[in-house]
Amino acid sequence: MAATVTPLGARNPLCTTIRKAIQKGVRTDDGLVVAEGFHLLEEARRSRLPIDTVIATPAALQNEALLDTCPPETRLFSVDPATFATFSTTESPQGILALVRPPEWTLADLLNPPALVVLLDGLQDPGNAGAIVRSAEAFGATGVIFLKGSASPYHPKTLRAAAGSLFRLPFLAAAELPAFDFPVYATAASAAQPIDTVDWRQPCGVVIGSEGRGVRPEILAACRPVTIPTETVESLNAAVAAGILLYEARRQRSRP
């Protein structure tokens, strides 16, 4: 039986809801996230998340695999390209987005042994934040915490950069550094221990600071500072630094 596709006007309340969620980088009032593009739709399906709604242009609806991807209970709407452009955040829209219900996590979900928790401190660039989440999943971290001042995990650019990892890797938002019963390390530029001399096999956390100021002094004071040895350059992009650090942790943890 062919799926029913309902036309959607630009002034429909659903369109207004989507625009509001995108502009504020939050979930909708119903707790759904806006996942734009074929890839995120497929990642949501692969992660077995409820896909509440799919909105697509007529051209995107010509993709025969699209209707096969959507569960029977998913609502399908069509909009004209001009309307879709009003809530797209990409330069070359694919003409499709989904409203997906993300998992709900608790702190305990982030602490599966041996815990490796990544904390983002004031990391405002959603592209960097999403890339770090992607690296965290790739290298075996057990969860991510978005501390005060960091980009929203529900921002469309964060979701896109994470490429589906935010659908699977446990994460939370927290105002301040939680109290852990294991050591927490923080990236620092000087007076810090090189990352290859740290025992990353033990349960631990690691704080990645913002692109400009780094880790806040009050957070750094509560952590053990670590650094990535470099030559000539003094600092690395936050996402690059996180990837190197997480790879070192993965390298150590994969040893017999």
Side-chain angles (χ1 to χ4, degrees), residues 80-122:
D80 60 83
T83 299
F84 191 90
T86 64
F87 39 64
S88 175
T89 60
T90 63
E91 294 183 2
S92 302
Q94 295 180 353
I96 186 168
L97 63 77
L99 295 179
V100 178
R101 187 166 301 283
E104 298 289 345
W105 306 105
T106 67
L107 183 59
D109 295 320
L110 280 69
L111 304 180
N112 289 327
L116 176 57
V117 181
V118 179
L119 301 103
L120 308 182
D121 179 34

Side-chain angles (χ1 to χ4, degrees), residues 55-228:
I55 299 177
T57 62
L61 287 169
Q62 296 302 312
N63 187 323
E64 296 181 359
L66 169 62
L67 300 183
D68 294 335
T69 297
C70 299
E73 64 273 14
T74 298
R75 301 182 299 168
L76 291 175
F77 295 97
S78 65
V79 295
D80 60 83
T83 299
F84 191 90
T86 64
F87 39 64
S88 175
T89 60
T90 63
E91 294 183 2
S92 302
Q94 295 180 353
I96 186 168
L97 63 77
L99 295 179
V100 178
R101 187 166 301 283
E104 298 289 345
W105 306 105
T106 67
L107 183 59
D109 295 320
L110 280 69
L111 304 180
N112 289 327
L116 176 57
V117 181
V118 179
L119 301 103
L120 308 182
D121 179 34
L123 198 74
Q124 297 179 343
D125 184 86
N128 275 341
I132 291 173
V133 174
R134 185 67 168 167
S135 293
E137 182 186 25
F139 296 126
T142 55
V144 176
I145 296 179
F146 291 73
L147 295 176
K148 181 174 64 177
S150 295
S152 168
Y154 305 117
H155 192 287
K157 292 182 179 179
T158 310
L159 286 167
R160 192 160 58 248
S165 291
L166 280 166
F167 295 155
R168 297 179 292 271
L169 186 67
F171 69 90
L172 295 173
E176 299 298 339
L177 184 71
F180 295 116
D181 59 359
F182 48 67
V184 178
Y185 300 91
T187 54
S190 59
Q193 182 179 0
I195 63 167
D196 57 341
T197 65
V198 175
D199 184 3
W200 296 105
R201 295 169 297 179
Q202 62 181 332
C204 61
V206 59
V207 183
I208 306 296
S210 68
E211 297 84 352
R213 69 183 182 187
V215 179
R216 284 177 288 162
E218 61 270 29
I219 298 289
L220 189 59
C223 302
R224 303 179 185 182
V226 294
T227 188
I228 299 172

